[in-house]
Amino acid sequence: MATRKKKPKILVVHGPNLNLLGTRETDVYGTATLASIVTDLETLGVELGVEIESFQSNSEGEIVSAIQRARGEQDGILINPAAYTHTSVAIRDALLAFSGPIVEVHLSNIHRREEFRHRSLMADVAVGQVLGFGAASYVLGLRALAGVLASA
Ligand code: DQA
């Protein structure tokens, strides 16, 4: 009899101010709330056969600690580092210490915005990026990451 493979585990990390989604700069980020994004990812996780754990923090250190805790616990990370995308060597280093695949997502197309948003310190640590599709960036990112894990 074939042995059933263990469900891959994915940590979804939401950076600062993403707790305000739905009310924050809706012209840029859309009207979906963080709670609805988390629910949609959990539903999609069931379809894709992956286990989802979601984490949001406004604090750089807490995000670093969550990524450290994922070592040996989670198989992949889906992350929107929000403003820390452009500044955080600490989050980059934490991601470098994680051995599984990482997918970076953004609601907005950071390349169409202010110049300081064009650079991502996480870009080359990630397998790939999905950006510019609003809440759908997360959905596409989760599908991509689940695919990477399935073929690993
Ligand atoms: C963001 C883009 C960042 O530049 C910004 O600081 C955010 C959200 C996005 O999802 O589009 O907070 O990561």
Side-chain angles (χ1 to χ4, degrees), residues 27-30 80 104-113 117 129-141:
D27 51 323
V28 179
Y29 299 118
N80 182 350
E104 177 184 351
V105 298
H106 298 282
L107 296 130
S108 64
N109 181 346
I110 55 178
H111 302 291
R112 294 180 71 172
R113 302 183 62 195
R117 295 187 202 273
Q129 296 172 304
V130 182
L131 45 96
F133 299 103
S137 292
Y138 286 91
V139 170
L140 296 167

mmCIF file with all atom_site columns, all heavy atoms in Angstrom, residues 27-30 80 104-113 117 129-141:
data_model
loop_
_atom_site.group_PDB
_atom_site.id
_atom_site.type_symbol
_atom_site.label_atom_id
_atom_site.label_alt_id
_atom_site.label_comp_id
_atom_site.label_asym_id
_atom_site.label_entity_id
_atom_site.label_seq_id
_atom_site.pdbx_PDB_ins_code
_atom_site.Cartn_x
_atom_site.Cartn_y
_atom_site.Cartn_z
_atom_site.occupancy
_atom_site.B_iso_or_equiv
_atom_site.pdbx_formal_charge
_atom_site.auth_seq_id
_atom_site.auth_comp_id
_atom_site.auth_asym_id
_atom_site.auth_atom_id
_atom_site.pdbx_PDB_model_num
ATOM 1   N N   . ASP A 1 27  ? -7.526 52.697 -2.388  1.00 0.00 ? 27  ASP A N   1
ATOM 2   C CA  . ASP A 1 27  ? -7.239 52.899 -3.816  1.00 0.00 ? 27  ASP A CA  1
ATOM 3   C C   . ASP A 1 27  ? -5.981 52.143 -4.226  1.00 0.00 ? 27  ASP A C   1
ATOM 4   O O   . ASP A 1 27  ? -5.832 51.745 -5.387  1.00 0.00 ? 27  ASP A O   1
ATOM 5   C CB  . ASP A 1 27  ? -7.104 54.410 -4.123  1.00 0.00 ? 27  ASP A CB  1
ATOM 6   C CG  . ASP A 1 27  ? -6.130 55.113 -3.187  1.00 0.00 ? 27  ASP A CG  1
ATOM 7   O OD1 . ASP A 1 27  ? -6.097 54.761 -1.976  1.00 0.00 ? 27  ASP A OD1 1
ATOM 8   O OD2 . ASP A 1 27  ? -5.373 55.988 -3.652  1.00 0.00 ? 27  ASP A OD2 1
ATOM 9   N N   . VAL A 1 28  ? -5.065 51.937 -3.281  1.00 0.00 ? 28  VAL A N   1
ATOM 10  C CA  . VAL A 1 28  ? -3.812 51.218 -3.588  1.00 0.00 ? 28  VAL A CA  1
ATOM 11  C C   . VAL A 1 28  ? -3.941 49.732 -3.251  1.00 0.00 ? 28  VAL A C   1
ATOM 12  O O   . VAL A 1 28  ? -3.523 48.866 -4.022  1.00 0.00 ? 28  VAL A O   1
ATOM 13  C CB  . VAL A 1 28  ? -2.620 51.803 -2.764  1.00 0.00 ? 28  VAL A CB  1
ATOM 14  C CG1 . VAL A 1 28  ? -1.334 51.041 -3.054  1.00 0.00 ? 28  VAL A CG1 1
ATOM 15  C CG2 . VAL A 1 28  ? -2.451 53.286 -3.038  1.00 0.00 ? 28  VAL A CG2 1
ATOM 16  N N   . TYR A 1 29  ? -4.545 49.439 -2.079  1.00 0.00 ? 29  TYR A N   1
ATOM 17  C CA  . TYR A 1 29  ? -4.507 48.069 -1.562  1.00 0.00 ? 29  TYR A CA  1
ATOM 18  C C   . TYR A 1 29  ? -5.825 47.301 -1.699  1.00 0.00 ? 29  TYR A C   1
ATOM 19  O O   . TYR A 1 29  ? -5.869 46.106 -1.397  1.00 0.00 ? 29  TYR A O   1
ATOM 20  C CB  . TYR A 1 29  ? -4.056 48.079 -0.092  1.00 0.00 ? 29  TYR A CB  1
ATOM 21  C CG  . TYR A 1 29  ? -2.659 48.648 0.079   1.00 0.00 ? 29  TYR A CG  1
ATOM 22  C CD1 . TYR A 1 29  ? -2.430 49.801 0.826   1.00 0.00 ? 29  TYR A CD1 1
ATOM 23  C CD2 . TYR A 1 29  ? -1.569 48.053 -0.549  1.00 0.00 ? 29  TYR A CD2 1
ATOM 24  C CE1 . TYR A 1 29  ? -1.159 50.327 0.961   1.00 0.00 ? 29  TYR A CE1 1
ATOM 25  C CE2 . TYR A 1 29  ? -0.287 48.569 -0.430  1.00 0.00 ? 29  TYR A CE2 1
ATOM 26  C CZ  . TYR A 1 29  ? -0.088 49.715 0.333   1.00 0.00 ? 29  TYR A CZ  1
ATOM 27  O OH  . TYR A 1 29  ? 1.173  50.226 0.449   1.00 0.00 ? 29  TYR A OH  1
ATOM 28  N N   . GLY A 1 30  ? -6.887 47.998 -2.131  1.00 0.00 ? 30  GLY A N   1
ATOM 29  C CA  . GLY A 1 30  ? -8.166 47.307 -2.294  1.00 0.00 ? 30  GLY A CA  1
ATOM 30  C C   . GLY A 1 30  ? -8.946 47.259 -0.986  1.00 0.00 ? 30  GLY A C   1
ATOM 31  O O   . GLY A 1 30  ? -8.506 47.775 0.038   1.00 0.00 ? 30  GLY A O   1
ATOM 32  N N   . ASN A 1 80  ? 4.420  38.678 2.852   1.00 0.00 ? 80  ASN A N   1
ATOM 33  C CA  . ASN A 1 80  ? 4.333  40.072 2.422   1.00 0.00 ? 80  ASN A CA  1
ATOM 34  C C   . ASN A 1 80  ? 4.998  40.887 3.525   1.00 0.00 ? 80  ASN A C   1
ATOM 35  O O   . ASN A 1 80  ? 4.374  41.182 4.545   1.00 0.00 ? 80  ASN A O   1
ATOM 36  C CB  . ASN A 1 80  ? 2.878  40.514 2.233   1.00 0.00 ? 80  ASN A CB  1
ATOM 37  C CG  . ASN A 1 80  ? 2.800  41.954 1.726   1.00 0.00 ? 80  ASN A CG  1
ATOM 38  O OD1 . ASN A 1 80  ? 3.815  42.659 1.700   1.00 0.00 ? 80  ASN A OD1 1
ATOM 39  N ND2 . ASN A 1 80  ? 1.622  42.389 1.336   1.00 0.00 ? 80  ASN A ND2 1
ATOM 40  N N   . GLU A 1 104 ? 7.468  35.690 -2.181  1.00 0.00 ? 104 GLU A N   1
ATOM 41  C CA  . GLU A 1 104 ? 7.193  37.057 -1.727  1.00 0.00 ? 104 GLU A CA  1
ATOM 42  C C   . GLU A 1 104 ? 5.970  37.586 -2.477  1.00 0.00 ? 104 GLU A C   1
ATOM 43  O O   . GLU A 1 104 ? 5.884  37.425 -3.700  1.00 0.00 ? 104 GLU A O   1
ATOM 44  C CB  . GLU A 1 104 ? 8.414  37.930 -2.046  1.00 0.00 ? 104 GLU A CB  1
ATOM 45  C CG  . GLU A 1 104 ? 8.234  39.399 -1.694  1.00 0.00 ? 104 GLU A CG  1
ATOM 46  C CD  . GLU A 1 104 ? 9.432  40.248 -2.122  1.00 0.00 ? 104 GLU A CD  1
ATOM 47  O OE1 . GLU A 1 104 ? 10.480 39.682 -2.548  1.00 0.00 ? 104 GLU A OE1 1
ATOM 48  O OE2 . GLU A 1 104 ? 9.324  41.474 -2.039  1.00 0.00 ? 104 GLU A OE2 1
ATOM 49  N N   . VAL A 1 105 ? 5.048  38.181 -1.738  1.00 0.00 ? 105 VAL A N   1
ATOM 50  C CA  . VAL A 1 105 ? 3.866  38.742 -2.398  1.00 0.00 ? 105 VAL A CA  1
ATOM 51  C C   . VAL A 1 105 ? 3.648  40.189 -1.979  1.00 0.00 ? 105 VAL A C   1
ATOM 52  O O   . VAL A 1 105 ? 4.027  40.595 -0.878  1.00 0.00 ? 105 VAL A O   1
ATOM 53  C CB  . VAL A 1 105 ? 2.572  37.929 -2.102  1.00 0.00 ? 105 VAL A CB  1
ATOM 54  C CG1 . VAL A 1 105 ? 2.668  36.527 -2.610  1.00 0.00 ? 105 VAL A CG1 1
ATOM 55  C CG2 . VAL A 1 105 ? 2.213  37.940 -0.633  1.00 0.00 ? 105 VAL A CG2 1
ATOM 56  N N   . HIS A 1 106 ? 3.053  40.949 -2.888  1.00 0.00 ? 106 HIS A N   1
ATOM 57  C CA  . HIS A 1 106 ? 2.623  42.329 -2.599  1.00 0.00 ? 106 HIS A CA  1
ATOM 58  C C   . HIS A 1 106 ? 1.285  42.558 -3.264  1.00 0.00 ? 106 HIS A C   1
ATOM 59  O O   . HIS A 1 106 ? 1.066  42.114 -4.402  1.00 0.00 ? 106 HIS A O   1
ATOM 60  C CB  . HIS A 1 106 ? 3.636  43.346 -3.131  1.00 0.00 ? 106 HIS A CB  1
ATOM 61  C CG  . HIS A 1 106 ? 4.967  43.209 -2.494  1.00 0.00 ? 106 HIS A CG  1
ATOM 62  N ND1 . HIS A 1 106 ? 5.234  43.700 -1.238  1.00 0.00 ? 106 HIS A ND1 1
ATOM 63  C CD2 . HIS A 1 106 ? 6.100  42.598 -2.911  1.00 0.00 ? 106 HIS A CD2 1
ATOM 64  C CE1 . HIS A 1 106 ? 6.483  43.394 -0.911  1.00 0.00 ? 106 HIS A CE1 1
ATOM 65  N NE2 . HIS A 1 106 ? 7.033  42.729 -1.908  1.00 0.00 ? 106 HIS A NE2 1
ATOM 66  N N   . LEU A 1 107 ? 0.434  43.283 -2.580  1.00 0.00 ? 107 LEU A N   1
ATOM 67  C CA  . LEU A 1 107 ? -0.860 43.644 -3.164  1.00 0.00 ? 107 LEU A CA  1
ATOM 68  C C   . LEU A 1 107 ? -0.658 44.587 -4.339  1.00 0.00 ? 107 LEU A C   1
ATOM 69  O O   . LEU A 1 107 ? -1.269 44.436 -5.402  1.00 0.00 ? 107 LEU A O   1
ATOM 70  C CB  . LEU A 1 107 ? -1.740 44.312 -2.106  1.00 0.00 ? 107 LEU A CB  1
ATOM 71  C CG  . LEU A 1 107 ? -2.115 43.404 -0.929  1.00 0.00 ? 107 LEU A CG  1
ATOM 72  C CD1 . LEU A 1 107 ? -1.840 44.090 0.388   1.00 0.00 ? 107 LEU A CD1 1
ATOM 73  C CD2 . LEU A 1 107 ? -3.557 42.999 -1.020  1.00 0.00 ? 107 LEU A CD2 1
ATOM 74  N N   . SER A 1 108 ? 0.182  45.598 -4.129  1.00 0.00 ? 108 SER A N   1
ATOM 75  C CA  . SER A 1 108 ? 0.418  46.613 -5.163  1.00 0.00 ? 108 SER A CA  1
ATOM 76  C C   . SER A 1 108 ? 1.626  46.230 -6.009  1.00 0.00 ? 108 SER A C   1
ATOM 77  O O   . SER A 1 108 ? 2.454  45.407 -5.596  1.00 0.00 ? 108 SER A O   1
ATOM 78  C CB  . SER A 1 108 ? 0.644  47.980 -4.510  1.00 0.00 ? 108 SER A CB  1
ATOM 79  O OG  . SER A 1 108 ? 1.822  47.964 -3.728  1.00 0.00 ? 108 SER A OG  1
ATOM 80  N N   . ASN A 1 109 ? 1.707  46.846 -7.191  1.00 0.00 ? 109 ASN A N   1
ATOM 81  C CA  . ASN A 1 109 ? 2.897  46.668 -8.019  1.00 0.00 ? 109 ASN A CA  1
ATOM 82  C C   . ASN A 1 109 ? 3.929  47.690 -7.550  1.00 0.00 ? 109 ASN A C   1
ATOM 83  O O   . ASN A 1 109 ? 3.873  48.866 -7.913  1.00 0.00 ? 109 ASN A O   1
ATOM 84  C CB  . ASN A 1 109 ? 2.555  46.887 -9.489  1.00 0.00 ? 109 ASN A CB  1
ATOM 85  C CG  . ASN A 1 109 ? 3.769  46.698 -10.388 1.00 0.00 ? 109 ASN A CG  1
ATOM 86  O OD1 . ASN A 1 109 ? 4.912  46.663 -9.894  1.00 0.00 ? 109 ASN A OD1 1
ATOM 87  N ND2 . ASN A 1 109 ? 3.550  46.586 -11.682 1.00 0.00 ? 109 ASN A ND2 1
ATOM 88  N N   . ILE A 1 110 ? 4.869  47.215 -6.726  1.00 0.00 ? 110 ILE A N   1
ATOM 89  C CA  . ILE A 1 110 ? 5.826  48.139 -6.091  1.00 0.00 ? 110 ILE A CA  1
ATOM 90  C C   . ILE A 1 110 ? 6.689  48.868 -7.129  1.00 0.00 ? 110 ILE A C   1
ATOM 91  O O   . ILE A 1 110 ? 7.212  49.941 -6.836  1.00 0.00 ? 110 ILE A O   1
ATOM 92  C CB  . ILE A 1 110 ? 6.713  47.408 -5.041  1.00 0.00 ? 110 ILE A CB  1
ATOM 93  C CG1 . ILE A 1 110 ? 7.437  46.200 -5.647  1.00 0.00 ? 110 ILE A CG1 1
ATOM 94  C CG2 . ILE A 1 110 ? 5.877  46.975 -3.848  1.00 0.00 ? 110 ILE A CG2 1
ATOM 95  C CD1 . ILE A 1 110 ? 8.374  45.474 -4.660  1.00 0.00 ? 110 ILE A CD1 1
ATOM 96  N N   . HIS A 1 111 ? 6.783  48.325 -8.327  1.00 0.00 ? 111 HIS A N   1
ATOM 97  C CA  . HIS A 1 111 ? 7.608  48.961 -9.371  1.00 0.00 ? 111 HIS A CA  1
ATOM 98  C C   . HIS A 1 111 ? 6.912  50.129 -10.048 1.00 0.00 ? 111 HIS A C   1
ATOM 99  O O   . HIS A 1 111 ? 7.546  50.899 -10.760 1.00 0.00 ? 111 HIS A O   1
ATOM 100 C CB  . HIS A 1 111 ? 8.051  47.913 -10.393 1.00 0.00 ? 111 HIS A CB  1
ATOM 101 C CG  . HIS A 1 111 ? 8.812  46.813 -9.738  1.00 0.00 ? 111 HIS A CG  1
ATOM 102 N ND1 . HIS A 1 111 ? 10.065 46.992 -9.198  1.00 0.00 ? 111 HIS A ND1 1
ATOM 103 C CD2 . HIS A 1 111 ? 8.465  45.527 -9.473  1.00 0.00 ? 111 HIS A CD2 1
ATOM 104 C CE1 . HIS A 1 111 ? 10.468 45.862 -8.637  1.00 0.00 ? 111 HIS A CE1 1
ATOM 105 N NE2 . HIS A 1 111 ? 9.522  44.974 -8.798  1.00 0.00 ? 111 HIS A NE2 1
ATOM 106 N N   . ARG A 1 112 ? 5.606  50.257 -9.834  1.00 0.00 ? 112 ARG A N   1
ATOM 107 C CA  . ARG A 1 112 ? 4.851  51.379 -10.404 1.00 0.00 ? 112 ARG A CA  1
ATOM 108 C C   . ARG A 1 112 ? 4.685  52.503 -9.387  1.00 0.00 ? 112 ARG A C   1
ATOM 109 O O   . ARG A 1 112 ? 3.934  53.438 -9.625  1.00 0.00 ? 112 ARG A O   1
ATOM 110 C CB  . ARG A 1 112 ? 3.463  50.916 -10.867 1.00 0.00 ? 112 ARG A CB  1
ATOM 111 C CG  . ARG A 1 112 ? 3.538  49.954 -12.016 1.00 0.00 ? 112 ARG A CG  1
ATOM 112 C CD  . ARG A 1 112 ? 2.163  49.512 -12.440 1.00 0.00 ? 112 ARG A CD  1
ATOM 113 N NE  . ARG A 1 112 ? 1.438  50.581 -13.104 1.00 0.00 ? 112 ARG A NE  1
ATOM 114 C CZ  . ARG A 1 112 ? 0.268  50.413 -13.707 1.00 0.00 ? 112 ARG A CZ  1
ATOM 115 N NH1 . ARG A 1 112 ? -0.302 49.223 -13.714 1.00 0.00 ? 112 ARG A NH1 1
ATOM 116 N NH2 . ARG A 1 112 ? -0.330 51.402 -14.289 1.00 0.00 ? 112 ARG A NH2 1
ATOM 117 N N   . ARG A 1 113 ? 5.325  52.363 -8.244  1.00 0.00 ? 113 ARG A N   1
ATOM 118 C CA  . ARG A 1 113 ? 5.123  53.315 -7.153  1.00 0.00 ? 113 ARG A CA  1
ATOM 119 C C   . ARG A 1 113 ? 6.407  54.112 -6.896  1.00 0.00 ? 113 ARG A C   1
ATOM 120 O O   . ARG A 1 113 ? 7.284  54.150 -7.750  1.00 0.00 ? 113 ARG A O   1
ATOM 121 C CB  . ARG A 1 113 ? 4.634  52.549 -5.918  1.00 0.00 ? 113 ARG A CB  1
ATOM 122 C CG  . ARG A 1 113 ? 3.339  51.771 -6.203  1.00 0.00 ? 113 ARG A CG  1
ATOM 123 C CD  . ARG A 1 113 ? 2.812  51.087 -4.973  1.00 0.00 ? 113 ARG A CD  1
ATOM 124 N NE  . ARG A 1 113 ? 2.474  52.058 -3.938  1.00 0.00 ? 113 ARG A NE  1
ATOM 125 C CZ  . ARG A 1 113 ? 2.260  51.732 -2.657  1.00 0.00 ? 113 ARG A CZ  1
ATOM 126 N NH1 . ARG A 1 113 ? 2.333  50.465 -2.284  1.00 0.00 ? 113 ARG A NH1 1
ATOM 127 N NH2 . ARG A 1 113 ? 1.965  52.673 -1.777  1.00 0.00 ? 113 ARG A NH2 1
ATOM 128 N N   . ARG A 1 117 ? 10.260 52.139 -3.133  1.00 0.00 ? 117 ARG A N   1
ATOM 129 C CA  . ARG A 1 117 ? 9.580  50.835 -3.040  1.00 0.00 ? 117 ARG A CA  1
ATOM 130 C C   . ARG A 1 117 ? 10.060 49.857 -4.115  1.00 0.00 ? 117 ARG A C   1
ATOM 131 O O   . ARG A 1 117 ? 9.678  48.684 -4.119  1.00 0.00 ? 117 ARG A O   1
ATOM 132 C CB  . ARG A 1 117 ? 8.059  50.997 -3.176  1.00 0.00 ? 117 ARG A CB  1
ATOM 133 C CG  . ARG A 1 117 ? 7.429  51.776 -2.053  1.00 0.00 ? 117 ARG A CG  1
ATOM 134 C CD  . ARG A 1 117 ? 5.909  51.750 -2.160  1.00 0.00 ? 117 ARG A CD  1
ATOM 135 N NE  . ARG A 1 117 ? 5.329  52.864 -1.443  1.00 0.00 ? 117 ARG A NE  1
ATOM 136 C CZ  . ARG A 1 117 ? 5.016  52.861 -0.144  1.00 0.00 ? 117 ARG A CZ  1
ATOM 137 N NH1 . ARG A 1 117 ? 5.217  51.787 0.578   1.00 0.00 ? 117 ARG A NH1 1
ATOM 138 N NH2 . ARG A 1 117 ? 4.503  53.931 0.430   1.00 0.00 ? 117 ARG A NH2 1
ATOM 139 N N   . GLN A 1 129 ? 8.340  36.167 -6.960  1.00 0.00 ? 129 GLN A N   1
ATOM 140 C CA  . GLN A 1 129 ? 7.490  37.220 -6.402  1.00 0.00 ? 129 GLN A CA  1
ATOM 141 C C   . GLN A 1 129 ? 6.170  37.262 -7.175  1.00 0.00 ? 129 GLN A C   1
ATOM 142 O O   . GLN A 1 129 ? 6.162  37.033 -8.385  1.00 0.00 ? 129 GLN A O   1
ATOM 143 C CB  . GLN A 1 129 ? 8.128  38.599 -6.590  1.00 0.00 ? 129 GLN A CB  1
ATOM 144 C CG  . GLN A 1 129 ? 9.425  38.840 -5.868  1.00 0.00 ? 129 GLN A CG  1
ATOM 145 C CD  . GLN A 1 129 ? 10.022 40.171 -6.307  1.00 0.00 ? 129 GLN A CD  1
ATOM 146 O OE1 . GLN A 1 129 ? 10.238 40.396 -7.498  1.00 0.00 ? 129 GLN A OE1 1
ATOM 147 N NE2 . GLN A 1 129 ? 10.292 41.041 -5.365  1.00 0.00 ? 129 GLN A NE2 1
ATOM 148 N N   . VAL A 1 130 ? 5.085  37.593 -6.471  1.00 0.00 ? 130 VAL A N   1
ATOM 149 C CA  . VAL A 1 130 ? 3.804  37.877 -7.130  1.00 0.00 ? 130 VAL A CA  1
ATOM 150 C C   . VAL A 1 130 ? 3.362  39.235 -6.619  1.00 0.00 ? 130 VAL A C   1
ATOM 151 O O   . VAL A 1 130 ? 3.258  39.438 -5.401  1.00 0.00 ? 130 VAL A O   1
ATOM 152 C CB  . VAL A 1 130 ? 2.726  36.828 -6.785  1.00 0.00 ? 130 VAL A CB  1
ATOM 153 C CG1 . VAL A 1 130 ? 1.442  37.147 -7.548  1.00 0.00 ? 130 VAL A CG1 1
ATOM 154 C CG2 . VAL A 1 130 ? 3.191  35.414 -7.111  1.00 0.00 ? 130 VAL A CG2 1
ATOM 155 N N   . LEU A 1 131 ? 3.134  40.174 -7.525  1.00 0.00 ? 131 LEU A N   1
ATOM 156 C CA  . LEU A 1 131 ? 2.773  41.513 -7.064  1.00 0.00 ? 131 LEU A CA  1
ATOM 157 C C   . LEU A 1 131 ? 1.857  42.214 -8.051  1.00 0.00 ? 131 LEU A C   1
ATOM 158 O O   . LEU A 1 131 ? 1.859  41.919 -9.253  1.00 0.00 ? 131 LEU A O   1
ATOM 159 C CB  . LEU A 1 131 ? 4.040  42.347 -6.813  1.00 0.00 ? 131 LEU A CB  1
ATOM 160 C CG  . LEU A 1 131 ? 5.160  42.325 -7.838  1.00 0.00 ? 131 LEU A CG  1
ATOM 161 C CD1 . LEU A 1 131 ? 5.037  43.510 -8.770  1.00 0.00 ? 131 LEU A CD1 1
ATOM 162 C CD2 . LEU A 1 131 ? 6.503  42.362 -7.134  1.00 0.00 ? 131 LEU A CD2 1
ATOM 163 N N   . GLY A 1 132 ? 1.024  43.105 -7.479  1.00 0.00 ? 132 GLY A N   1
ATOM 164 C CA  . GLY A 1 132 ? 0.200  43.956 -8.325  1.00 0.00 ? 132 GLY A CA  1
ATOM 165 C C   . GLY A 1 132 ? -1.216 43.469 -8.542  1.00 0.00 ? 132 GLY A C   1
ATOM 166 O O   . GLY A 1 132 ? -1.995 44.135 -9.216  1.00 0.00 ? 132 GLY A O   1
ATOM 167 N N   . PHE A 1 133 ? -1.590 42.338 -7.965  1.00 0.00 ? 133 PHE A N   1
ATOM 168 C CA  . PHE A 1 133 ? -2.914 41.760 -8.217  1.00 0.00 ? 133 PHE A CA  1
ATOM 169 C C   . PHE A 1 133 ? -3.858 41.874 -7.022  1.00 0.00 ? 133 PHE A C   1
ATOM 170 O O   . PHE A 1 133 ? -4.834 41.135 -6.924  1.00 0.00 ? 133 PHE A O   1
ATOM 171 C CB  . PHE A 1 133 ? -2.772 40.295 -8.649  1.00 0.00 ? 133 PHE A CB  1
ATOM 172 C CG  . PHE A 1 133 ? -1.974 40.137 -9.912  1.00 0.00 ? 133 PHE A CG  1
ATOM 173 C CD1 . PHE A 1 133 ? -0.666 39.702 -9.855  1.00 0.00 ? 133 PHE A CD1 1
ATOM 174 C CD2 . PHE A 1 133 ? -2.523 40.471 -11.137 1.00 0.00 ? 133 PHE A CD2 1
ATOM 175 C CE1 . PHE A 1 133 ? 0.092  39.572 -11.019 1.00 0.00 ? 133 PHE A CE1 1
ATOM 176 C CE2 . PHE A 1 133 ? -1.781 40.345 -12.307 1.00 0.00 ? 133 PHE A CE2 1
ATOM 177 C CZ  . PHE A 1 133 ? -0.466 39.905 -12.259 1.00 0.00 ? 133 PHE A CZ  1
ATOM 178 N N   . GLY A 1 134 ? -3.547 42.787 -6.105  1.00 0.00 ? 134 GLY A N   1
ATOM 179 C CA  . GLY A 1 134 ? -4.384 42.931 -4.917  1.00 0.00 ? 134 GLY A CA  1
ATOM 180 C C   . GLY A 1 134 ? -4.370 41.636 -4.113  1.00 0.00 ? 134 GLY A C   1
ATOM 181 O O   . GLY A 1 134 ? -3.346 40.923 -4.071  1.00 0.00 ? 134 GLY A O   1
ATOM 182 N N   . ALA A 1 135 ? -5.513 41.314 -3.502  1.00 0.00 ? 135 ALA A N   1
ATOM 183 C CA  . ALA A 1 135 ? -5.584 40.107 -2.661  1.00 0.00 ? 135 ALA A CA  1
ATOM 184 C C   . ALA A 1 135 ? -5.267 38.844 -3.472  1.00 0.00 ? 135 ALA A C   1
ATOM 185 O O   . ALA A 1 135 ? -4.801 37.841 -2.916  1.00 0.00 ? 135 ALA A O   1
ATOM 186 C CB  . ALA A 1 135 ? -6.964 40.003 -2.023  1.00 0.00 ? 135 ALA A CB  1
ATOM 187 N N   . ALA A 1 136 ? -5.497 38.902 -4.783  1.00 0.00 ? 136 ALA A N   1
ATOM 188 C CA  . ALA A 1 136 ? -5.208 37.734 -5.632  1.00 0.00 ? 136 ALA A CA  1
ATOM 189 C C   . ALA A 1 136 ? -3.709 37.411 -5.667  1.00 0.00 ? 136 ALA A C   1
ATOM 190 O O   . ALA A 1 136 ? -3.326 36.279 -5.970  1.00 0.00 ? 136 ALA A O   1
ATOM 191 C CB  . ALA A 1 136 ? -5.737 37.973 -7.052  1.00 0.00 ? 136 ALA A CB  1
ATOM 192 N N   . SER A 1 137 ? -2.855 38.379 -5.337  1.00 0.00 ? 137 SER A N   1
ATOM 193 C CA  . SER A 1 137 ? -1.407 38.088 -5.274  1.00 0.00 ? 137 SER A CA  1
ATOM 194 C C   . SER A 1 137 ? -1.132 36.961 -4.280  1.00 0.00 ? 137 SER A C   1
ATOM 195 O O   . SER A 1 137 ? -0.278 36.100 -4.504  1.00 0.00 ? 137 SER A O   1
ATOM 196 C CB  . SER A 1 137 ? -0.612 39.328 -4.848  1.00 0.00 ? 137 SER A CB  1
ATOM 197 O OG  . SER A 1 137 ? -0.636 40.329 -5.830  1.00 0.00 ? 137 SER A OG  1
ATOM 198 N N   . TYR A 1 138 ? -1.882 36.986 -3.151  1.00 0.00 ? 138 TYR A N   1
ATOM 199 C CA  . TYR A 1 138 ? -1.684 35.936 -2.147  1.00 0.00 ? 138 TYR A CA  1
ATOM 200 C C   . TYR A 1 138 ? -2.139 34.578 -2.677  1.00 0.00 ? 138 TYR A C   1
ATOM 201 O O   . TYR A 1 138 ? -1.493 33.560 -2.425  1.00 0.00 ? 138 TYR A O   1
ATOM 202 C CB  . TYR A 1 138 ? -2.502 36.238 -0.890  1.00 0.00 ? 138 TYR A CB  1
ATOM 203 C CG  . TYR A 1 138 ? -1.959 37.350 -0.020  1.00 0.00 ? 138 TYR A CG  1
ATOM 204 C CD1 . TYR A 1 138 ? -2.368 38.663 -0.199  1.00 0.00 ? 138 TYR A CD1 1
ATOM 205 C CD2 . TYR A 1 138 ? -1.060 37.074 1.004   1.00 0.00 ? 138 TYR A CD2 1
ATOM 206 C CE1 . TYR A 1 138 ? -1.898 39.679 0.611   1.00 0.00 ? 138 TYR A CE1 1
ATOM 207 C CE2 . TYR A 1 138 ? -0.578 38.085 1.821   1.00 0.00 ? 138 TYR A CE2 1
ATOM 208 C CZ  . TYR A 1 138 ? -1.002 39.384 1.615   1.00 0.00 ? 138 TYR A CZ  1
ATOM 209 O OH  . TYR A 1 138 ? -0.532 40.388 2.414   1.00 0.00 ? 138 TYR A OH  1
ATOM 210 N N   . VAL A 1 139 ? -3.274 34.584 -3.372  1.00 0.00 ? 139 VAL A N   1
ATOM 211 C CA  . VAL A 1 139 ? -3.832 33.339 -3.904  1.00 0.00 ? 139 VAL A CA  1
ATOM 212 C C   . VAL A 1 139 ? -2.863 32.729 -4.919  1.00 0.00 ? 139 VAL A C   1
ATOM 213 O O   . VAL A 1 139 ? -2.537 31.535 -4.866  1.00 0.00 ? 139 VAL A O   1
ATOM 214 C CB  . VAL A 1 139 ? -5.215 33.621 -4.550  1.00 0.00 ? 139 VAL A CB  1
ATOM 215 C CG1 . VAL A 1 139 ? -5.721 32.429 -5.327  1.00 0.00 ? 139 VAL A CG1 1
ATOM 216 C CG2 . VAL A 1 139 ? -6.214 34.042 -3.476  1.00 0.00 ? 139 VAL A CG2 1
ATOM 217 N N   . LEU A 1 140 ? -2.377 33.583 -5.826  1.00 0.00 ? 140 LEU A N   1
ATOM 218 C CA  . LEU A 1 140 ? -1.428 33.116 -6.847  1.00 0.00 ? 140 LEU A CA  1
ATOM 219 C C   . LEU A 1 140 ? -0.124 32.659 -6.187  1.00 0.00 ? 140 LEU A C   1
ATOM 220 O O   . LEU A 1 140 ? 0.474  31.654 -6.594  1.00 0.00 ? 140 LEU A O   1
ATOM 221 C CB  . LEU A 1 140 ? -1.155 34.237 -7.856  1.00 0.00 ? 140 LEU A CB  1
ATOM 222 C CG  . LEU A 1 140 ? -2.372 34.682 -8.681  1.00 0.00 ? 140 LEU A CG  1
ATOM 223 C CD1 . LEU A 1 140 ? -2.093 35.992 -9.405  1.00 0.00 ? 140 LEU A CD1 1
ATOM 224 C CD2 . LEU A 1 140 ? -2.756 33.602 -9.674  1.00 0.00 ? 140 LEU A CD2 1
ATOM 225 N N   . GLY A 1 141 ? 0.301  33.417 -5.178  1.00 0.00 ? 141 GLY A N   1
ATOM 226 C CA  . GLY A 1 141 ? 1.540  33.075 -4.470  1.00 0.00 ? 141 GLY A CA  1
ATOM 227 C C   . GLY A 1 141 ? 1.423  31.742 -3.753  1.00 0.00 ? 141 GLY A C   1
ATOM 228 O O   . GLY A 1 141 ? 2.354  30.922 -3.780  1.00 0.00 ? 141 GLY A O   1
#
